[in-house]
Amino acid sequence: MCRTPGMPCKKKSYPVDLPVASVVICFYNEAFSALLRTVHSVVDRTPAHLLHEVILVDDNSDFDDLKGELDDYVQKYLPGKIKVIRNTKREGLIRGRMIGAAQATGEVLVFLDSHCEVNVMWLQPLLAVIHGDPHTVVCPVIDIISADTLAYSSSPVVRGGFNWGLHFKWDLVPLAELGGADGATAPIRSPTMAGGLFAMNRQYFNELGQYDSGMDIWGGENLEISFRIWMCGGKLFIIPCSRVGHIFRKRRPYGSPEGQDTMTHNSLRLAHVWLDEYKEQYFSLRPDLKTKSYGNISERVELRKRLGCQSFRWYLDHVYPEMQIPGPNARPQQPIFINRGPKRPRVLQRGRLYHFQTNKCLVAQGRPSQKGSLVVLKACDYRDPTQIWIYNEEHELVLNNLLCLDMSETRSSDPPRLMKCHGSGGSQQWTFGKNNWLYQVSVGQCLSVVDTLGPKGSVAMAICDGSSSQQWHLEG
Ligand code: UD2
Ligand code: MN
């Protein structure tokens, strides 16, 4: 298990005179132990002279132990730099973070979820970049902490994107963005951030308009701040030498106070403020939302004017040229044709996709030429050519030389299907990781066999946990 940053990172050194950081952690009904793991890792793994303070914002949790017991614990074991702020009503993580940030006095703000473990040397690489350019916002690589075993494992370096459903997704880093003078340790330009873990100069956070305080509880704020950073003159990077583990849960363990769909409410707000004519891409997937109300956005529209921000088209052209744009807004030349050209991508491996635990092979549920077909486990047949997968340099998995294993662009809860290969990455990119896992880049999850749900042998995407249901081997 690779717990610490890789070798090239270990060789790096950082200036001593870095700006000091205020770490803001907003929580609602968090497990006491998970919250303490977050706070202790920060205190233990941050040089004292760089840690200005840790601000815990209790978003009006119901759990008893998060009240007096937490105060007592902090006083007894973490005296000095930890402040606890308590919201008198539930605000949600977006206004919650704004409340925390307003109390902070360090030069840099660092936001963390309340169920993390920061790794060694996590902060210096982030601060060093902000020190060089205060208009740069930086994210660590988010490692995986298993929700079942709480074990820490590293994740591949990927960058942030999104789809027209306005869901965040991960993308492989385009080759052109990799390397440079610093090789594998260089900051990676990222079109979006996942949302939970990032660092930003505090004055810049305020100048750039903090967050949209009309957004409730959970969702969408990560895309909103990402678009705003890029469109209004800033930059957003993922820093490969900074790693923070995060517990990815199968389901969100809480709802909104009145059961509202806050992700949709928040996405609508950001679409109306930032997407210009491209909001039609969202509405063509969600026609039901065209006439839905989203509250007053005039302050945010005003902010966009005041900051003199670029158009969303500029963002797509300059920051996320890989994004596919169907319909009337389509680019004159879709990168799909540029990317692939007439040449087929080079084959890296060919064989059956073998599942260790069940001793079976992954095949099409129906005919392998049927677009949209699901994939299932069946007995391996070594004479059957329709069981042969090709793994190519574009990271595609092509069955029977025909269709690509694909994750729907709109909903990550759907199982993978066989679709026409589109050559533009994202939903069709897979990587084989340690523990033999098969990692889907855009959803950031692993191909897993689910026997308890659905019929035997069916597969679905799940949080990577290294369990035997997630172990695959492509064998010739
Ligand atoms: C991801 C982000 C999360 C946020 C979210 C979109 C990562 C690792 N996580 O979802 O930070 O950007 O996308 O909104 O990138 N919380 C409150 N009050 C609430 C609800 C949540 O304080 O009403 C806290 C919660 O305890 C946690 C943080 O906000 O510390 C983020 O919530 P999450 O962990 O449920 O979000 P996650 O990781 O699914
Ligand atoms: Mn989280």
Side-chain angles (χ1 to χ4, degrees):
M1 187 168 65
C2 165
R3 266 203 66 123
T4 51
M7 266 318 278
C9 290
K10 284 191 183 152
K11 291 202 179 118
K12 286 196 74 129
S13 58
Y14 300 94
V16 246
D17 64 330
L18 290 167
V20 297
S22 295
V23 177
V24 175
I25 301 167
C26 190
F27 64 92
Y28 172 70
N29 286 1
E30 185 58 83
F32 194 66
S33 55
L35 181 62
L36 288 188
R37 181 174 180 174
T38 313
V39 178
H40 273 289
S41 69
V42 168
V43 171
D44 293 350
R45 292 183 172 155
T46 311
H49 75 281
L50 295 178
L51 186 62
H52 185 67
E53 61 195 343
V54 178
I55 297 180
L56 303 178
V57 183
D58 171 8
D59 194 16
N60 200 218
S61 301
D62 312 313
F63 294 177
D64 286 342
D65 55 0
L66 295 172
K67 308 295 172 189
E69 208 173 313
L70 177 64
D71 290 338
D72 293 346
Y73 188 96
V74 166
Q75 221 180 5
K76 193 156 171 211
Y77 299 106
L78 296 160
K81 290 184 176 174
I82 320 280
K83 284 195 192 110
V84 184
I85 298 174
R86 302 209 187 260
N87 294 344
T88 49
K89 68 175 187 9
R90 174 102 176 270
E91 298 287 354
L93 74 93
I94 298 141
R95 290 192 294 275
R97 283 185 195 157
M98 292 167 75
I99 292 166
Q103 300 289 318
T105 52
E107 189 175 335
V108 168
L109 292 169
V110 182
F111 295 99
L112 295 179
D113 276 9
S114 48
H115 33 259
C116 291
E117 177 187 329
V118 303
N119 214 318
V120 294
M121 277 297 268
W122 72 290
L123 187 62
Q124 293 92 321
L126 301 176
L127 295 179
V129 176
I130 297 175
H131 189 46
D133 176 4
H135 292 165
T136 299
V137 179
V138 286
C139 306
V141 173
I142 308 180
D143 283 334
I144 300 164
I145 301 177
S146 159
D148 297 324
T149 66
L150 299 178
Y152 189 113
S153 53
S154 62
S155 43
V157 177
V158 283
R159 65 176 200 168
F162 68 98
N163 62 32
W164 289 118
L166 298 182
H167 293 278
F168 172 85
K169 65 174 181 117
W170 295 106
D171 289 329
L172 283 186
V173 183
L175 278 180
E177 301 279 344
L178 275 177
D182 285 342
T185 66
I188 292 164
R189 267 162 50 99
S190 187
T192 69
M193 66 161 88
L197 328 177
F198 67 98
M200 183 169 184
N201 176 282
R202 185 164 58 85
Q203 196 186 332
Y204 183 47
F205 179 73
N206 290 328
E207 282 166 13
L208 198 68
Q210 303 173 351
Y211 276 121
D212 175 357
S213 63
M215 288 190 173
D216 299 323
I217 306 294
W218 185 97
E221 93 295 341
N222 52 331
L223 297 189
E224 193 270 345
I225 198 169
S226 304
F227 298 155
R228 185 152 43 89
I229 291 165
W230 281 114
M231 289 164 69
C232 311
K235 294 194 186 86
L236 177 59
F237 286 101
I238 288 171
I239 309 302
C241 290
S242 169
R243 287 186 174 259
V244 175
H246 169 261
I247 304 180
F248 288 93
R249 293 169 296 196
K250 298 191 174 98
R251 239 166 257 106
R252 224 173 309 135
Y254 54 83
S256 58
E258 276 131 44
Q260 318 91 311
D261 176 358
T262 61
M263 171 78 188
T264 296
H265 171 79
N266 298 347
S267 300
L268 259 181
R269 288 182 68 87
L270 91 85
H272 284 286
V273 177
W274 296 100
L275 296 198
D276 303 329
E277 69 271 29
Y278 296 89
K279 61 174 173 252
E280 294 312 321
Q281 316 291 142
Y282 179 49
F283 291 133
S284 71
L285 293 173
R286 298 290 309 272
D288 54 311
L289 300 180
K290 262 195 167 152
T291 51
K292 197 175 175 333
S293 63
Y294 44 86
N296 184 344
I297 55 166
S298 55
E299 262 181 46
R300 301 306 284 180
V301 172
E302 194 46 49
L303 170 78
R304 182 173 166 178
K305 273 206 210 105
R306 190 170 72 241
L307 294 172
C309 308
Q310 300 274 11
S311 66
F312 199 70
R313 163 137 199 201
W314 176 93
Y315 169 86
L316 289 171
D317 286 347
H318 293 87
V319 182
Y320 203 18
E322 296 79 11
M323 183 68 164
Q324 297 291 305
I325 309 167
N329 292 323
R331 295 191 172 93
Q333 250 190 329
Q334 286 283 332
I336 185 169
F337 303 116
I338 303 166
N339 276 354
R340 169 131 313 169
K343 274 214 345 253
R344 284 200 166 209
R346 198 161 48 91
V347 173
L348 301 178
Q349 254 179 300
R350 186 193 306 268
R352 285 164 197 80
L353 199 47
Y354 175 73
H355 186 249
F356 287 98
Q357 189 188 30
T358 55
N359 186 31
K360 288 185 172 172
C361 285
L362 191 72
V363 301
Q365 189 177 45
R367 278 180 299 120
S369 56
Q370 177 70 50
K371 258 198 283 176
S373 177
L374 292 169
V375 285
V376 292
L377 285 178
K378 285 199 183 139
C380 303
D381 180 346
Y382 289 87
R383 292 151 310 177
D384 185 355
T386 68
Q387 294 198 351
I388 301 286
W389 293 87
I390 282 171
Y391 185 58
N392 65 31
E393 60 183 341
E394 306 260 18
H395 301 271
E396 293 164 334
L397 275 167
V398 190
L399 182 60
N400 196 28
N401 232 336
L402 226 51
L403 296 174
C404 273
L405 193 62
D406 182 292
M407 269 308 291
S408 147
E409 286 272 316
T410 42
R411 271 191 307 196
S412 62
S413 53
D414 290 346
R417 291 176 184 276
L418 293 169
M419 301 299 279
K420 196 168 172 230
C421 301
H422 56 50
S424 59
S427 69
Q428 295 184 348
Q429 281 180 318
W430 303 80
T431 62
F432 288 90
K434 58 182 178 72
N435 304 329
N436 295 308
W437 71 28
L438 186 47
Y439 180 84
Q440 211 295 317
V441 174
S442 64
V443 295
Q445 296 186 351
C446 282
L447 188 67
S448 190
V449 173
V450 277
D451 273 337
T452 42
L453 316 161
K456 256 201 157 36
S458 66
V459 296
M461 302 312 299
I463 313 276
C464 305
D465 58 11
S467 69
S468 42
S469 68
Q470 298 184 346
Q471 297 186 9
W472 302 88
H473 185 56
L474 188 62
E475 47 194 22

